[in-house]
Amino acid sequence: MKRKREEKGNLFVVPAVVWVFLFTIFPLLYSLRVSLSKVSYGKILGFTGLANYVRMFGDYRFWSTFRFTLIFALISVTTTTFLGLGFALVFNRKIRGIKFFRSLLTMPLFTAPVALGYLGVMMFYEENGPINVFLKFIGMGKVPWLSHPWWATLAICIVDIWQWTPFAFIILLAGLQSISDEIYEAAVIDTSSGWAVFRHITLPLISPILGTVMMLRIVDAFKAFDIPFSLTSGGPGTATRTLTFYIYTQGLRNFDLGYASAMAYFLLAMTMIIGILFFRRYRELYE
Amino acid sequence: MRKKNGLVEILVWIVIAVGVLWVLSPFYWAVITSFKKPADVFRLSSVPWVQFRPTLANWKTEFEQRGPEITRGILNSIIIAVCASLFAVALGSFAGYGLARHKYRRWKNRDLSFWFLSQRFLPPAATVIPFFLLMKSLRLLDTQLALILVNTTFVMPFAVLIMKDMFRELPVELEEAAWVDGCSRWQSFLRIALPLAAPALVATIIICFSFAWNEFLFALVLTYKNASPITVVIAGTEHTQGVQFWYVSTRLLLAIIPPTILALTVQKYIVRGLTMGAVKG
């Protein structure tokens, strides 16, 4: 009787597992095959072995998009984490109405990134856009936000930081709130320095959460597409194309599907390495 | 926990004010731009009625000229996001219940959870090309069904892991009593566990809805016209209207508002949702 019931409980997970096999595993295997083939306009012509992968390592445009993706990830992830931690430390106290402000700060997380990119076009507009007007007001010159490669990179980072700082903020705030007051009270007896308490008590206790935030942010930064697409269209020139952007252009605009699939597998390998590192360290969080 | 200190209190409120201003100002700019006459857009004017006279003209013109396209976009977004989030949460609550209440022998529960979690690390670029070829050969390009399938796939891992946590937090005794009375697992799931998890279920649906609504890459690749959701509609008109920000801002707001407002209703579950259950908020 009990045994029979357990077998039935088994089946609950089956539909979801089947779904993942159909719509994730199967497409990935298919993509592997495409990446090893010569493909012309959607037709698989024949097996070419590793030719697409070899081509990738010799393609300077691939390397420049990869470099841009890394720079973008580095700037965006470190800034969002630091700002988020700062805000979380400030918000972690009993103030009336704090919940309301916390809710307001989570709004950017749920706005469509592609819409934010176009909103960015309005904000960063060089002739009398609000940001340049403000900069002029505090005495700076006109900034070529979208027509200079470095400023365009910065503009993309700023939009991404605007959207994702709340992510770091609310998760770290939840982490801080889970630390009990007694630990602090005990610490205050030993030392009076706020920095010492932060360095030796708070930081070690929230480090797994800090790690989680950074890992998830790195993975998301590697996937970036919407904001460069809408804010700069990858420009000026090709200065702000991310890896995903280049895969999209090669595969679905130029229909060089084999080559694009090979690059997609490279990107997959990168995020999977990050994922494995993540699982190793933070397994217990998901128990 | 810390001593009250007037100066610190003031500094804290300044930081809060800066944060709120930083978050709200882009939204504010989009809203006022949509109510500005074209001549006012490129002037530094940010206070309605004082610095410029607000007008409904942009909204009217936008809907007169592009009404069908915009309503179709919004309708597509609603259909796709609603169906995808319902499918995902249905599959997710089955699987979540299984993972919370059953010990799997061949694959351990933990490994199954990780397997679902690993999807969070999958870059969409890795599956966009095979999906395009697949939908092309199934003749599903430019259909809502294609995007429903895609978005279900992306948001389901969220649903599985959040629902697993939710079911695990329910007391098992109620269900055990029901099993003693002869209820099957299926009956106790439907009649006891699911109703008890209803608030979490609704929150999960809303979070999944927002993610599906905001999805862009697949929508861009798999639709051209008839099934294009609002995210693709705003991207498509940019080239024809250029710097006509007064029109652009109206469309942006239509895409931005629904998920942003909905998300404000699920604050209690947001931290779990974003970390897939790693951090309990």
Side-chain angles (χ1 to χ4, degrees):
Chain A
M1 177 70 191
K2 185 150 193 256
R3 166 128 202 102
K4 202 177 156 203
R5 206 181 287 133
E6 276 195 356
E7 271 159 18
K8 271 189 186 159
N10 236 332
L11 294 175
F12 276 102
V13 83
V14 169
V17 171
V18 170
W19 189 282
V20 174
F21 266 102
L22 272 180
F23 293 104
T24 306
I25 309 284
F26 172 63
L28 281 178
L29 291 174
Y30 189 65
S31 174
L32 186 64
R33 190 181 148 215
V34 173
S35 78
L36 297 170
S37 313
K38 187 167 171 50
V39 187
S40 187
Y41 294 96
K43 286 213 170 55
I44 296 176
L45 297 178
F47 183 75
T48 57
L50 292 174
N52 285 320
Y53 292 90
V54 172
R55 183 179 154 198
M56 180 173 85
F57 287 105
D59 179 1
Y60 74 93
R61 280 170 301 183
F62 166 76
W63 289 112
S64 73
T65 51
F66 184 51
R67 198 186 58 203
F68 174 75
T69 311
L70 286 180
I71 292 171
F72 164 75
L74 188 73
I75 297 176
S76 174
V77 172
T78 48
T79 316
T80 47
T81 314
F82 272 112
L83 279 178
L85 182 60
F87 272 108
L89 288 169
V90 169
F91 271 62
N92 184 31
R93 47 187 76 221
K94 289 166 188 96
I95 299 176
R96 240 178 342 139
I98 205 85
K99 273 209 168 133
F100 173 73
F101 293 112
R102 204 196 72 150
S103 303
L104 275 185
L105 291 193
T106 61
M107 281 167 69
L109 284 173
F110 290 89
T111 44
V114 64
L116 275 184
Y118 290 118
L119 184 52
V121 174
M122 291 164 57
M123 303 289 292
F124 286 111
Y125 194 61
E126 284 165 27
E127 308 293 334
N128 280 343
I131 290 174
N132 265 1
V133 168
F134 176 75
L135 290 179
K136 207 162 122 195
F137 177 73
I138 60 169
M140 280 177 69
K142 196 174 95 179
V143 175
W145 284 111
L146 302 177
S147 54
H148 186 281
W150 281 107
W151 287 108
T153 306
L154 190 61
I156 288 172
C157 290
I158 290 173
V159 175
D160 199 67
I161 289 163
W162 182 84
Q163 174 154 46
W164 291 106
T165 298
F167 176 83
F169 160 67
I170 54 168
I171 294 169
L172 290 169
L173 182 62
L176 289 174
Q177 285 172 344
S178 67
I179 302 173
S180 74
D181 287 354
E182 283 120 53
I183 294 175
Y184 284 115
E185 279 156 18
V188 170
I189 297 167
D190 290 336
T191 174
S192 59
S193 146
W195 169 251
V197 173
F198 174 74
R199 176 71 188 75
H200 297 291
I201 310 282
T202 316
L203 208 55
L205 281 172
I206 59 163
S207 81
I209 295 169
L210 205 58
T212 307
V213 167
M214 290 189 81
M215 288 287 189
L216 291 174
R217 285 295 304 120
I218 291 170
V219 170
D220 282 339
F222 269 86
K223 297 175 183 171
F225 171 73
D226 303 17
I227 292 172
F229 181 92
S230 51
L231 182 58
T232 61
S233 317
T238 56
T240 57
R241 280 204 299 205
T242 58
L243 214 45
T244 303
F245 200 139
Y246 191 45
I247 293 167
Y248 164 79
T249 321
Q250 284 295 333
L252 297 147
R253 282 292 162 267
N254 304 338
F255 288 101
D256 197 347
L257 292 160
Y259 184 42
S261 299
M263 291 191 288
Y265 252 87
F266 176 81
L267 182 61
L268 179 68
M270 298 294 302
T271 55
M272 282 299 148
I273 290 169
I274 298 167
I276 290 165
L277 291 176
F278 175 76
F279 290 153
R280 283 251 179 94
R281 294 247 5 217
Y282 302 113
R283 249 200 135 101
E284 74 276 10
L285 286 176
Y286 286 93
E287 297 281 294
Chain B
M1 109 203 164
R2 282 164 206 153
K3 272 169 266 166
K4 285 250 172 194
N5 185 327
L7 191 66
V8 171
E9 203 84 327
I10 290 167
L11 281 174
V12 166
W13 279 104
I14 288 173
V15 173
I16 292 172
V18 168
V20 170
L21 217 66
W22 156 259
V23 161
L24 291 185
S25 51
F27 291 120
Y28 180 71
W29 191 259
V31 172
I32 59 167
T33 306
S34 77
F35 291 110
K36 276 179 179 179
K37 283 199 289 286
D40 291 323
V41 167
F42 296 112
R43 248 181 250 147
L44 178 68
S45 49
S46 46
V47 189
W49 287 288
V50 177
Q51 287 179 312
F52 68 95
R53 188 194 290 273
T55 167
L56 279 171
N58 303 325
W59 288 89
K60 267 192 202 142
T61 321
E62 185 67 15
F63 270 94
E64 274 160 19
Q65 287 179 353
R66 299 181 179 276
E69 193 188 354
I70 290 173
T71 35
R72 194 175 55 213
I74 292 174
L75 263 175
N76 281 332
S77 279
I78 292 174
I79 293 169
I80 292 162
V82 166
C83 292
S85 54
L86 288 179
F87 282 160
V89 170
L91 291 165
S93 42
F94 290 148
Y97 186 74
L99 286 170
R101 289 283 184 265
H102 183 81
K103 269 218 182 319
Y104 290 90
R105 292 227 176 77
R106 193 175 302 165
W107 288 2
K108 294 201 188 71
N109 289 38
R110 202 175 65 178
D111 295 335
L112 269 171
S113 299
F114 273 118
W115 193 63
F116 283 113
L117 181 67
S118 69
Q119 315 248 330
R120 175 73 175 70
F121 292 83
L122 189 76
T127 49
V128 71
I129 290 163
F131 254 108
F132 170 75
L133 293 172
L134 220 65
M135 294 304 169
K136 193 171 151 240
S137 56
L138 292 172
R139 298 184 184 283
L140 283 177
L141 283 182
D142 206 18
T143 62
Q144 293 151 345
L145 180 63
L147 281 185
I148 292 170
L149 294 176
V150 167
N151 282 302
T152 306
T153 309
F154 284 143
V155 296
M156 192 184 64
F158 277 92
V160 172
L161 294 170
I162 300 172
M163 291 315 291
K164 181 200 79 179
D165 272 4
M166 294 302 167
F167 285 127
R168 194 172 277 171
E169 279 165 27
L170 294 179
V172 71
E173 288 77 22
L174 285 169
E175 286 159 72
E176 276 170 351
W179 298 333
V180 171
D181 291 342
C183 263
S184 66
R185 283 256 169 176
W186 174 247
Q187 282 170 323
S188 71
F189 166 71
L190 271 187
R191 300 222 180 115
I192 299 167
L194 211 51
L196 284 174
L201 200 73
V202 173
T204 311
I205 291 174
I206 289 175
I207 292 174
C208 290
F209 175 93
S210 304
F211 288 140
W213 178 286
N214 291 343
E215 202 284 323
F216 177 62
L217 176 61
F218 277 80
L220 180 69
V221 169
L222 299 178
T223 68
Y224 310 118
K225 187 167 176 252
N226 293 324
S228 291
I230 188 77
T231 45
V232 175
V233 171
I234 58 173
T237 43
E238 183 245 2
H239 300 290
T240 52
Q241 298 196 322
V243 294
Q244 291 179 301
F245 294 152
W246 45 97
Y247 293 137
V248 175
S249 55
T250 59
R251 280 193 303 274
L252 290 185
L253 287 169
L254 291 173
I256 286 175
I257 288 169
T260 313
I261 299 296
L262 276 176
L264 289 178
T265 64
V266 292
Q267 290 294 316
K268 212 179 132 195
Y269 299 95
I270 260 178
V271 175
R272 279 170 202 269
L274 292 172
T275 59
M276 302 188 91
V279 182
K280 322 274 187 275

